[in-house]
């Protein structure tokens, strides 16, 4: 599981970093395109593909980020009523919600896989990048199936331990709050 977790985190971080760099380069190019003397060198660079690439990178990032959110418990949820229920009744509602999430994402993944299969039989390509569209749409089934797996993983862990993943907004990975307090940093 750790390999899948790290692969998921690395993919999301790489897509974010890549999109940031591409947009930065595009903005710098746009700025230098209007500067006398420099514009002669940069006007022949075609960065029309940058916006399209960033859109696709953010779609992929969002699909895999949603699965990451399920795994780590960072999705926003309205659970005020659920948390006030008796423990045995609460557990049933939590498992129903996780099962519904798994079913929904499995259906979306299956429909997405079917769509990707059918579009792969065409020669449709993206407008600026001219990449096959089936590669771009592959984010839907892959991200949805991963999210389905994460729902099932959380449900299995909940059955075993009774715990749901939760995200402590005050916690920073890699920093021990006790050690930080000893060194005079924020606790």
């Amino acid at each position: 599981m750790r390999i899948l977790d790290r692969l998921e985190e690395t993919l999301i971080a790489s897509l974010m970093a890549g999109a940031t760099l591409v947009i930065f380069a595009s903005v710098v190019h746009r700025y230098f395109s209007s500067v006398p003397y420099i514009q002669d060198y940069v006007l022949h660079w075609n960065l029309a593909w940058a916006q399209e690439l960033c859109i696709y990178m953010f779609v992929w990032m969002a699909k895999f980020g949603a699965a990451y959110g399920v795994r780590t418990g960072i999705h926003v949820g309205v659970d005020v009523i659920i948390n006030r229920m008796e423990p045995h009744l609460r557990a049933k509602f939590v498992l129903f919600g996780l099962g519904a999430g798994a079913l929904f994402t499995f259906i979306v993944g299956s429909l997405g896989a079917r769509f990707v299969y059918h579009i792969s039989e065409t020669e449709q390509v993206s407008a600026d990048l001219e990449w096959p569209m089936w590669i771009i749409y592959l984010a839907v089934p892959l991200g949805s199936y991963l999210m389905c797996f994460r729902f099932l993983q959380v449900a299995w862990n909940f059955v075993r331990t009774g715990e749901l993943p939760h995200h402590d907004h005050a916690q920073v990975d890699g920093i021990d709050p006790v050690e930080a307090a000893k060194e005079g940093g924020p606790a």
Side-chain angles (χ1 to χ4, degrees):
M1 280 303 124
R2 288 183 186 206
I3 293 173
L4 181 60
D5 293 350
R6 293 295 169 231
L7 179 65
E8 180 181 49
E9 292 164 1
T10 302
L11 179 65
I12 294 166
S14 299
L15 288 168
M16 287 175 70
T20 301
L21 289 173
V22 169
I23 287 296
F24 177 75
S26 179
V27 168
V28 168
H29 175 264
R30 193 174 313 132
Y31 173 76
F32 283 139
S33 294
S34 63
V35 175
Y37 305 111
I38 297 176
Q39 71 184 9
D40 297 337
Y41 298 102
V42 298
L43 276 178
H44 67 278
W45 298 344
N46 181 10
L47 294 182
W49 51 267
Q51 183 177 359
E52 183 177 314
L53 177 62
C54 283
I55 290 169
Y56 297 148
M57 291 173 88
F58 276 110
V59 168
W60 276 74
M61 182 182 52
K63 289 301 292 179
F64 285 91
Y68 175 80
V70 171
R71 176 173 61 95
T72 59
I74 60 174
H75 280 290
V76 175
V78 181
D79 56 2
V80 174
I81 296 173
I82 300 289
N83 288 337
R84 292 179 184 241
M85 292 180 173
E86 304 260 340
H88 70 281
L89 189 59
R90 177 184 178 270
K92 289 179 183 179
F93 274 93
V94 167
L95 288 174
F96 174 77
L98 292 170
L103 177 64
F104 176 76
T105 53
F106 179 79
I107 291 170
V108 170
S110 298
L111 292 173
R114 187 172 173 210
F115 179 75
V116 167
Y117 173 76
H118 289 298
I119 205 163
S120 71
E121 294 177 336
T122 70
E123 294 184 19
Q124 186 177 358
V125 295
S126 63
D128 293 323
L129 294 170
E130 297 182 1
W131 288 355
M133 287 305 292
W134 70 269
I135 292 174
I136 294 161
Y137 287 125
L138 199 57
V140 174
L142 291 179
S144 296
Y145 283 141
L146 180 61
M147 195 170 179
C148 176
F149 172 74
R150 294 302 188 188
F151 273 119
L152 295 173
Q153 184 181 32
V154 168
W156 176 251
N157 189 49
F158 181 74
V159 167
R160 286 188 16 228
T161 67
E163 296 285 323
L164 288 172
H166 65 283
H167 183 72
D168 183 5
H169 297 287
Q171 175 63 31
V172 177
D173 287 340
I175 296 179
D176 183 15
V178 175
E179 290 297 319
K182 287 180 187 177
E183 295 173 7

